[in-house]
Structures are given as structure tokens and as C-alpha cells.
Amino acid sequence: MVTQAQPLATKPLAKREPDPADHTTCAVMSDILNRIGDKWSVMIVGRLGHGTKRFSELKRAVEGISQRMLTLTLRNLERDGLVVRTVYPEIPPRVEYKLTPLGETLLEPINALWDWASVHGEDIARARERYDGP
Amino acid sequence: MVTQAQPLATKPLAKREPDPADHTTCAVMSDILNRIGDKWSVMIVGRLGHGTKRFSELKRAVEGISQRMLTLTLRNLERDGLVVRTVYPEIPPRVEYKLTPLGETLLEPINALWDWASVHGEDIARARERYDGP
DNA sequence: CAGGATCCAAATAGATACTG
DNA sequence: CAGTATCTATTTGGATCCTG
């Protein structure tokens, strides 16, 4: 309940190797992964990396997503401070979503992953074929 | 011992921006995220980044994981060619896990994420407090 | 248009108990 | 030690209907 105003900003835990034995960072990672690891968050963040989009644009852009999941995912991203939601009180209603500065910083590691996926995706596919049987 | 596969190098699909409209890479991403996005894979890969570990070592190192989930996750990582499993026919049995060359390449984007998490974890925590109510 | 509310199916995860 | 086999609880996602 205490809205503690600790000297915030970029005074993190210090850079460190990924170390699952480090329970603090480990917990944070679990948390992050729960967000970006879900089925849609990365797609949406990636799409918003191209600029502001409204709800229906996202729905069309992110192939296969249901209305419900788009709403839920956007709410979570908003809650985590990665996305801002702006409502224009018009008729018909218009709602726009864009990345926050924090959200934009996430774009970088996500791009790294995206690159990895595009480079090694076929390696994985081959590994699976090998594993699943000759 | 296990230097069987050369890192297959970089002959990818060409570098590209994250673009959820690109259905090919998009599908690959979904796939990758399904692997590294689950609750345990990243922890395990991170831990194996420090070197070969046996089953019980991993179980102790990755806090909170159940035997079942460790087995399942390791099998998936093995299937995807990210981890090699070596059984030593001794009594009592000994099984060791280590990253493949492909698995090691994954360490890099994972580290990027880990860094991001350690830097911005508190930002997210604060954003949530703000969102959830004062 | 941008959702909220429901209901239901499927995927995931945890807790045992048992085994070579 | 390193699993497998079950059974159950929780999470998640999709489909559908409704509204300002």
C-alpha cells in the first residue's frame, strides 16, 4: 500500500549473467517470459513497433487472433507499462495503441529473438524431423 | 565429445524486421516462442549455458521445477536440437545434458532478454502498481 | 468500432506413486 | 538416479452473444 518513491530510474540490479540460481532476477525473468512468452504479445509489440495502430487494425494485422485475446493481451501490455491506450470519444469509438518508451526498449531484445528465429528456424525444423523419426 | 554438428552458420532467410504480417517468419516465431516462452526452457538453457549438468543438478538448480516438467522440458529442448542428452550406462544411472552448438547460439538472444529483464523489471513492477490502483 | 460477459474445450502444470 | 505413469487442478484460448 505504500507508494514508495524509491529513487527509481535505471538503477537496476546490475548486469549479470543469466543465472537461474539468482532467485531475484530469476523471478523477474519468469515474469517477463510470462508476458512476452504468451501466444500473442510479441506479435502485437512487433506490430506496434511500426507505429500507432487501432484495435481493428491490430485485429487484421495479427493473423488468427480472436477479439477476446487481442483485448486481453493489450490490457496486460498496458498494465505492464509497455503500451498506451488512447480512447477518442467519437462515434463510432476509436481506440489507438502505441508502445511506451519502455515498450520500445523491449523491441530490441525481441528483434534479437526474431533474427534468431529467422536464422535458425529451419535448423529446428530439421532437428525435429530427425527426432521424430527417420 | 559432442562436437558432432557444426553451427550450420548463417545462411538464413535474410535479415528482416519483425513483421507479424510476414506469415512465414511469424509462424516460426510462434514456434520459437512456444519453446522458449514456456515456464522453464529459458531457465534450463540459461543454466546449461554454464556447462554440462546432470538431471539431478538441474532439478536442484532450477528452483521450483517438478520432476515431470524437467523431464518434459528437456525432451522438448532435445527434440528441437538445442540440448543433447547423454546416458552413461552405470549404476546408479547418470544422464548429462548440455547445449548443442545451436543451443549455444540461442544463449545470445536469451541473454539480451535477461539483461532487459534485470534492467526494466522494476519499471514493470511500478507500472503494475500504478495500473492496479493507488 | 471496440469491447464486456459467458461458456466450453484444450493445453499445461503439479502431486504423488512406482520402476529399472 | 533418472525417469514413467496417473490423476487432478489450473491456465489458456476460442466461439458466441451482447452493448454504448
Side-chain angles (χ1 to χ4, degrees):
Chain A
M1 55 182 276
V2 187
T3 336
Q4 47 182 332
Q6 290 238 341
L8 29 77
T10 49
K11 199 48 187 288
L13 313 156
K15 277 241 170 101
R16 56 186 72 187
E17 285 290 296
D19 182 0
D22 173 346
H23 295 169
T24 306
T25 309
C26 187
V28 176
M29 263 305 272
S30 273
D31 225 47
I32 307 299
L33 285 168
N34 255 312
R35 177 65 36 250
I36 74 139
D38 71 26
K39 202 174 175 180
W40 304 109
S41 290
V42 165
M43 302 301 169
I44 292 175
V45 170
R47 194 68 200 171
L48 289 178
H50 293 324
T52 300
K53 296 273 174 285
R54 49 190 298 187
F55 188 87
S56 52
E57 286 182 291
L58 284 172
K59 177 124 173 49
R60 277 190 300 274
V62 182
E63 158 121 345
I65 195 169
S66 67
Q67 205 172 42
R68 176 180 134 90
M69 289 318 295
L70 181 55
T71 302
L72 285 179
T73 308
L74 284 169
R75 287 292 178 280
N76 283 328
L77 291 172
E78 193 195 355
R79 173 169 184 259
D80 286 355
L82 300 169
V83 159
V84 254
R85 175 170 178 270
T86 313
V87 182
Y88 298 90
E90 306 168 352
I91 293 184
R94 181 164 57 102
V95 181
E96 288 189 346
Y97 296 89
K98 61 175 286 197
L99 294 181
T100 62
L102 179 60
E104 306 227 14
T105 67
L106 181 55
L107 226 42
E108 211 175 307
I110 282 187
N111 284 2
L113 248 156
W114 209 286
D115 285 347
W116 190 91
S118 85
V119 171
H120 296 290
E122 296 182 22
D123 296 343
I124 290 191
R126 271 193 300 275
R128 283 184 189 172
E129 284 174 30
R130 227 177 304 128
Y131 186 94
D132 291 342
Chain B
M1 178 184 288
V2 190
T3 328
Q4 46 177 45
Q6 290 299 326
L8 282 159
T10 49
K11 64 154 180 97
L13 315 154
K15 275 231 171 112
R16 55 185 74 184
E17 285 289 296
D19 182 0
D22 175 346
H23 295 171
T24 306
T25 309
C26 187
V28 176
M29 263 303 273
S30 274
D31 224 48
I32 306 299
L33 284 169
N34 257 312
R35 176 66 34 250
I36 74 138
D38 72 25
K39 200 173 176 182
W40 303 110
S41 290
V42 165
M43 303 299 169
I44 292 175
V45 169
R47 194 68 200 172
L48 289 178
H50 292 325
T52 300
K53 295 274 175 288
R54 48 192 298 189
F55 188 87
S56 51
E57 286 182 291
L58 284 172
K59 178 126 172 48
R60 277 190 301 273
V62 183
E63 159 120 344
I65 196 170
S66 66
Q67 207 171 39
R68 178 182 133 89
M69 289 318 294
L70 181 54
T71 302
L72 284 180
T73 308
L74 283 169
R75 287 292 178 279
N76 282 328
L77 291 171
E78 193 194 357
R79 173 170 184 257
D80 285 356
L82 299 169
V83 159
V84 254
R85 175 172 178 269
T86 313
V87 183
Y88 298 90
E90 309 168 349
I91 292 186
R94 180 163 59 103
V95 181
E96 288 189 346
Y97 294 90
K98 63 175 288 198
L99 294 180
T100 62
L102 178 61
E104 306 227 14
T105 67
L106 180 56
L107 226 41
E108 212 175 308
I110 282 187
N111 285 2
L113 246 154
W114 209 286
D115 286 346
W116 191 92
S118 84
V119 172
H120 297 290
E122 296 183 21
D123 295 344
I124 290 191
R126 272 193 298 277
R128 284 185 188 170
E129 284 176 29
R130 228 177 302 128
Y131 185 94
D132 291 343

